[in-house]
Amino acid sequence: MKTIITIGRQYGSGGREIGEKLATDLNIPFYDSKLLEIAAKESGISQEFFESNDEKPVNSLLYILSTTYTDDNLPFNHRLFLAQFDAVKKVASEGSCVIVGRCADYALRDNPDCINIFIHAEIEKRKKRSVEQYGIPEKRAHETVIRYDKQRASYYNFYTCKKWGNADNYDLVIDSGKLGTEKCVELIKKYIDLKQAD
Amino acid sequence: MKTIITIGRQYGSGGREIGEKLATDLNIPFYDSKLLEIAAKESGISQEFFESNDEKPVNSLLYILSTTYTDDNLPFNHRLFLAQFDAVKKVASEGSCVIVGRCADYALRDNPDCINIFIHAEIEKRKKRSVEQYGIPEKRAHETVIRYDKQRASYYNFYTCKKWGNADNYDLVIDSGKLGTEKCVELIKKYIDLKQAD
């Protein structure tokens, strides 16, 4: 049985670290920015463009205009999204994996093996983490956390027509600030065991 | 160490059944409508009024008017809410327990022992459950599920100034339609073990 885990996460919640640790424990591949490389390779779009547009919201005016475009001249953000969307489906078709971000839950919405997880934490804990773990200057921590969350929400809401962080979208949601990242990994492993048991 | 569990739930998700089973397994008291009896006894308000107004949204015009009222002549819904709020705090102060609904997470928001859980499931599964378990006529299942969810959301959003079903409010959110009620109980017990471990 395949184990496909998608993880959405608030900025600074440790969702990426949880995903990495989980993938290591389960001995399966982990994807986040790696997907960009795959998408770049498959689409022929330069990887630099992916990196500079990663999970950034699309310009909705451009999107509207895009409806009259052919595949070859779709607005650039939209082409990047579609290339990532295909990359998510490709790696999931290849076997068990953990995928962080990139609307992977939506790309794999018809895949019965998929377990969709969201990790959040209260903002003060995320600010602290962004300073200590990601090296964000303390005076910019609040603004950084808010800005990244807005970007992720905007990107997700635009492409999926669902609401980022709404409990309804996910099989499992955990507050990592209350439980700690190590224990989140343990709880997710328990979830997988229960889900896959007869 | 006390174990205080609050459970918010979409109508038909099996949240109440999960709470009851959890309380039985942990050998601790379970409260849902029982809280009405306690609130009635403590407040001197007839239990019948509690039952007919249980988790129903307040009339917001009345609420605005209430700001000029004294405690004794507050709008009735508001007095009922406050009496239940006190009842939640009272039972939690007495020892470990499971409390379903009644904005218990908000009443106990400063209690470090409290674990706040939300149970949801996709609407078709909840309609099926409401027919099979609660005896709702099939042709009224959709309307019933929607109406109860709206009532609960309105009640919760009004009194807590938070958004019912938003992942941010809860320590743990589970889709019971995906996992099944028995396994939800197992997962919550694992969460409690992890949370309370050193």
Side-chain angles (χ1 to χ4, degrees):
Chain A
M1 186 184 293
K2 276 201 288 189
T3 303
I4 313 282
I5 308 286
T6 75
I7 301 184
R9 73 294 182 218
Q10 288 181 336
Y11 183 82
S13 67
R16 197 172 113 8
E17 183 188 326
I18 289 166
E20 262 186 315
K21 176 77 168 55
L22 182 69
T24 302
D25 286 6
L26 299 176
N27 195 26
I28 60 179
F30 169 79
Y31 298 101
D32 63 342
S33 55
K34 263 198 243 171
L35 271 176
L36 308 179
E37 292 169 37
I38 295 168
K41 202 170 157 192
E42 302 276 329
S43 67
I45 302 171
S46 155
Q47 193 181 332
E48 281 170 29
F49 284 107
F50 278 95
E51 282 167 359
S52 62
N53 286 279
D54 187 23
E55 289 191 306
K56 299 265 175 69
V58 76
N59 176 322
S60 56
L61 176 60
L62 279 180
Y63 178 72
I64 292 160
L65 292 173
S66 79
T67 56
T68 61
Y69 281 42
T70 65
D71 267 9
D72 285 342
N73 58 1
L74 275 176
F76 207 76
N77 280 343
H78 197 50
R79 284 176 62 198
L80 295 181
F81 173 79
L82 292 175
Q84 284 207 353
F85 204 83
D86 288 342
V88 166
K89 290 203 270 196
K90 179 176 155 54
V91 298
S93 74
E94 288 168 354
S96 298
C97 61
V98 176
I99 307 171
V100 169
R102 280 122 206 118
C103 305
D105 56 328
Y106 186 71
L108 302 174
R109 64 193 179 282
D110 298 322
N111 186 328
D113 295 322
C114 195
I115 296 170
N116 301 313
I117 295 170
F118 188 76
I119 305 292
H120 68 96
E122 60 114 348
I123 193 163
E124 289 308 318
K125 289 190 178 161
R126 296 191 288 124
K127 282 161 64 178
K128 189 166 180 288
R129 185 182 180 87
S130 73
V131 172
E132 290 172 2
Q133 307 268 326
Y134 315 154
I136 305 293
E138 196 156 352
K139 64 180 179 183
R140 300 199 56 191
H142 186 84
E143 171 226 327
T144 303
V145 165
I146 298 291
R147 181 163 44 84
Y148 272 98
D149 277 1
K150 275 194 180 167
Q151 274 183 13
R152 288 177 184 175
S154 169
Y155 183 84
Y156 185 91
N157 299 350
F158 182 83
Y159 282 114
T160 69
C161 299
K162 298 198 290 181
K163 198 166 173 298
W164 186 76
N166 193 332
D168 266 355
N169 303 335
Y170 309 99
D171 302 331
L172 180 66
V173 176
I174 317 172
D175 181 336
S176 62
K178 292 273 185 76
L179 196 60
T181 52
E182 292 284 331
K183 291 179 179 178
C184 283
V185 175
E186 292 307 310
L187 190 70
I188 296 169
K189 288 197 287 188
K190 178 71 177 181
Y191 182 97
I192 296 167
D193 286 347
L194 286 167
K195 184 85 192 294
Q196 295 179 347
D198 288 331
Chain B
M1 186 184 292
K2 276 200 289 188
T3 303
I4 314 282
I5 309 285
T6 75
I7 300 184
R9 74 294 181 218
Q10 288 182 337
Y11 183 82
S13 67
R16 195 173 117 358
E17 183 188 325
I18 290 166
E20 262 187 314
K21 177 77 169 57
L22 182 68
T24 302
D25 286 6
L26 300 175
N27 196 25
I28 61 178
F30 170 79
Y31 298 101
D32 62 341
S33 53
K34 261 198 249 175
L35 271 174
L36 307 181
E37 292 168 37
I38 295 167
K41 198 172 158 191
E42 300 280 328
S43 66
I45 301 171
S46 156
Q47 193 181 332
E48 280 170 28
F49 285 108
F50 278 94
E51 283 167 359
S52 62
N53 287 279
D54 186 25
E55 289 191 304
K56 299 264 175 72
V58 76
N59 177 323
S60 55
L61 176 60
L62 279 179
Y63 177 71
I64 292 159
L65 292 172
S66 79
T67 55
T68 61
Y69 280 43
T70 65
D71 267 9
D72 286 342
N73 59 0
L74 274 176
F76 207 76
N77 281 344
H78 197 48
R79 284 176 64 197
L80 295 181
F81 174 79
L82 291 176
Q84 284 209 352
F85 204 82
D86 288 342
V88 167
K89 289 203 269 196
K90 179 176 155 51
V91 298
S93 73
E94 287 168 354
S96 298
C97 59
V98 176
I99 306 172
V100 169
R102 280 123 207 117
C103 304
D105 57 328
Y106 185 70
L108 302 174
R109 63 194 179 282
D110 298 322
N111 186 329
D113 294 322
C114 195
I115 297 171
N116 301 313
I117 296 170
F118 188 76
I119 304 293
H120 68 96
E122 60 115 348
I123 192 163
E124 290 307 320
K125 289 189 178 161
R126 296 191 289 123
K127 282 162 63 178
K128 190 166 180 286
R129 186 183 180 86
S130 73
V131 172
E132 290 171 2
Q133 308 267 327
Y134 314 154
I136 305 292
E138 197 156 352
K139 64 180 180 186
R140 300 198 56 190
H142 187 84
E143 171 227 326
T144 303
V145 165
I146 298 291
R147 181 163 45 83
Y148 272 98
D149 277 2
K150 275 194 179 166
Q151 274 184 13
R152 288 177 184 174
S154 170
Y155 183 83
Y156 185 91
N157 299 351
F158 182 83
Y159 282 114
T160 69
C161 299
K162 299 198 291 182
K163 200 168 172 296
W164 185 77
N166 194 330
D168 266 355
N169 304 334
Y170 309 99
D171 301 332
L172 179 66
V173 176
I174 316 172
D175 182 335
S176 61
K178 293 274 186 75
L179 197 59
T181 51
E182 291 285 329
K183 291 179 179 178
C184 283
V185 175
E186 292 308 308
L187 191 70
I188 296 169
K189 288 197 287 188
K190 179 70 177 180
Y191 182 96
I192 296 166
D193 286 347
L194 287 166
K195 183 85 192 294
Q196 295 180 348
D198 286 332

